[in-house]
Amino acid sequence: MEKVQLHNTINDASETREVEPRQLLVHMLRDSMRLTGVHIGCDTSQCGACTVLLDQETVRSCTVLAVQTEGVSIHTIEGMECDPTVTALKQAFNELHGLQCGFCTPGMLLAARALLLRVRDPSEDAVREALHGNLCRCTGYQNIVDAVLLAAATLREGEAVAIEEACHE
Ligand code: FES
Ligand code: FES
């Protein structure tokens, strides 16, 4: 099958590559770019494990063709090292045991980030609603919800500035 030239930005680096028109974004990121924080759980838009950001919006990369990302800025969890919201979430997940095997965690972090950018002080119900499309087979969800609430409190207290500064040291 004839390949198509694709230009986009992935984790803040400009990329040009040839892709098959039928290749899914999740396969391009995992197989071609070795961005293995993008997980494949269901391949049918059910689990959220393949969540990435397209122009800062959360998207399931198993539902998008790579060629649809022409000119788009893509971020995977690997590109969020210096993001203060993700950093606060990671610390809270670590502190409150919001993960066990970690398979769902990149998708959970990106979905929770999207919530915390919209709502500074979410209720427990709002957290559950925001994460309802991300499945976890290990934790029973309560620790994840608690971790998101803790991260929200950390960010409200302004500790995110310190987190961001630490990242650039
Ligand atoms: S692998 Fe994409 S939603 Fe499950
Ligand atoms: S920590 Fe294992 S699937 Fe969520």
Side-chain angles (χ1 to χ4, degrees), residues 59-137:
V59 172
R60 287 155 196 245
S61 57
C62 73
T63 67
V64 178
L65 293 168
V67 292
Q68 291 177 287
T69 65
E70 173 67 28
V72 169
S73 170
I74 302 170
H75 285 90
T76 68
I77 197 65
E78 289 90 344
M80 306 302 282
E81 287 266 303
C82 292
D83 181 87
T85 308
V86 169
T87 303
L89 283 161
K90 281 188 195 169
Q91 289 178 351
F93 272 57
N94 190 34
E95 193 172 323
L96 297 183
H97 309 290
L99 70 155
Q100 289 179 29
C101 77
F103 190 82
C104 68
T105 308
M108 287 286 182
L109 293 172
L110 293 179
R113 174 184 182 270
L115 170 69
L116 297 187
L117 291 183
R118 279 198 324 274
V119 186
R120 275 170 54 85
D121 190 7
S123 64
E124 178 169 338
D125 283 350
V127 174
R128 289 185 182 277
E129 173 65 24
L131 299 183
H132 83 278
N134 290 73
L135 303 185
C136 176
R137 299 180 70 170

Side-chain angles (χ1 to χ4, degrees), residues 145-158:
V145 173
D146 291 344
V148 175
L149 293 171
L150 174 61
T154 301
L155 290 162
R156 285 196 306 278
E157 287 161 11

